Amino acid sequence: MTGGPSTLVIDDRDDRVVVTLCRPEARNAINAAMIRELHDVCAGLEERPRLLLVTGDGGTFAAGADIGELRDRGRDQALRGINSRLFDRIARLPLPTVAAVDGYALGGGAELAYACDLRLASPAAIFGNPEPGLGILAAAGACWRLRELVGASVAKQVLLAGRRLDADDAYRLGLVAEVVPAGDLLKRAHALLDRMAQSGPLALRLTKLVADAPGGHPVTDDLAQAILFESADKRDRMDAFLAGGRS
C-alpha cells in the first residue's frame, strides 16, 4: 500500500520500505518536516528491520537542504545536528539501504545519499556539496563520509573547490554501483534489493555492523560469526545448499 506524510511518499512492503522524497515545489529540498518524517521511517525500521530504498520524485533526488530554514538557524541549531543526526541514524539502520539517484543530489541531498550503504544513479545524476559558497560547511557527514567513499583528494575537490560529480565520475570513482537509464532506475534498485533479500537477515545485519565498525578486529568477526553459527537460519540454508536446493 502506498501512502505517507506530506513530504514523503512511502511504499511499505513486507521486506522493504521505499521512500520517495516529494517536495516538487522545492526540488525535494530537505526541510524540517521531511527530517521529522524520515526520523519516523527510521523508528519503524529500527523496530521492524527491513531494507530501505530512498529516491526522489520528478527527476531530482534532493537539491539540497532548505536554504530558507538554514538562513534562520543559529549556533544552537547547529549544535543539535539537525541533519547530521538523521543521516547518522539512516547509516546505522539494521539492514542495508540503497539510494536511487536521478538528477541533482546536492548539499544535504548528497549527504543523504552518502549515508546510504549503496547508490545507483541515472545518467542525469549530479552529486555536489556547494555549502562553502553559502558561507557554511557540509556538516551532515560529507566531510568524512565522502572521503571514505572516493578518497581525500576527490573529496576535497568537491568540498573545497566546488567540483560536481556527474554519473560517469561517480561510477568511475566507486561512489555509485551502477549507472542505469532513468526509466529503469527503480527497477534495477529493486532487483538489487531482491538479491539482498535472498540472504539471511541476521547475516546481513551482522555483516553491516562488522563492515561499519571503526578499525575492525578479528574478535569482532569471530563474535558475529559465533552468533550466526548458532542460528536456525544458518542450518536451514546450509542444509538446503547441501541438498542441492540452493546455489
Side-chain angles (χ1 to χ4, degrees):
M1 182 175 67
T2 301
S6 60
T7 72
L8 306 176
V9 176
I10 298 176
D11 185 357
D12 200 334
R13 307 187 186 187
D14 288 341
D15 66 346
R16 72 198 61 177
V17 174
V18 183
V19 171
T20 303
L21 311 179
C22 190
R23 293 188 68 216
E25 75 286 357
R27 296 192 299 173
N28 303 333
I30 299 170
N31 66 351
M34 185 181 287
I35 289 168
R36 287 193 299 270
E37 291 159 9
L38 285 169
H39 272 298
D40 290 341
V41 171
C42 289
L45 290 171
E46 291 160 351
E47 179 70 22
R48 182 187 165 204
R50 282 168 289 165
L51 303 166
L52 173 66
L53 172 59
V54 181
T55 191
D57 182 58
T60 298
F61 184 73
D66 190 292
I67 303 302
E69 290 187 358
L70 286 179
R71 170 63 179 78
D72 294 332
R73 289 181 188 173
R75 176 187 58 199
D76 290 344
Q77 288 77 27
L79 291 173
R80 284 170 53 199
I82 293 171
N83 288 19
S84 64
R85 299 300 184 271
L86 169 65
F87 299 158
D88 187 55
R89 192 175 187 182
I90 289 171
R92 290 184 290 105
L93 285 172
L95 290 179
T97 58
V98 174
V101 178
D102 184 22
Y104 287 116
L106 301 177
E111 290 180 301
L112 172 56
Y114 303 156
C116 292
D117 294 306
L118 297 168
R119 288 151 295 280
L120 300 180
S122 79
I126 299 287
F127 298 86
N129 289 96
E131 286 90 342
L134 296 170
I136 59 174
L137 63 84
C143 286
W144 50 276
R145 280 199 180 99
L146 187 58
R147 182 184 68 236
E148 293 175 353
L149 291 168
V150 300
S153 176
V154 174
K156 287 182 179 181
Q157 291 172 46
V158 173
L159 296 165
L160 301 178
R163 178 180 176 183
R164 292 185 176 185
L165 303 179
D166 63 19
D168 290 339
D169 288 334
Y171 177 72
R172 178 172 52 82
L173 294 164
L175 180 60
V176 303
E178 193 174 1
V179 178
V180 183
D184 296 329
L185 183 59
L186 289 182
K187 179 180 178 182
R188 194 68 61 89
H190 278 292
L192 176 60
L193 291 170
D194 290 343
R195 190 158 68 244
M196 289 191 285
Q198 293 174 8
S199 296
L202 183 59
L204 282 177
R205 185 170 185 173
L206 289 178
T207 298
K208 179 173 174 175
L209 276 174
V210 172
D212 285 343
H217 195 285
V219 172
T220 305
D221 295 14
D222 293 345
L223 290 172
Q225 192 75 296
I227 294 169
L228 292 169
F229 271 12
E230 295 297 321
S231 69
D233 186 56
K234 169 251 187 180
R235 290 189 291 272
D236 291 345
R237 287 171 178 272
M238 291 192 177
D239 286 347
F241 178 88
L242 292 171
R246 187 178 297 274
S247 57

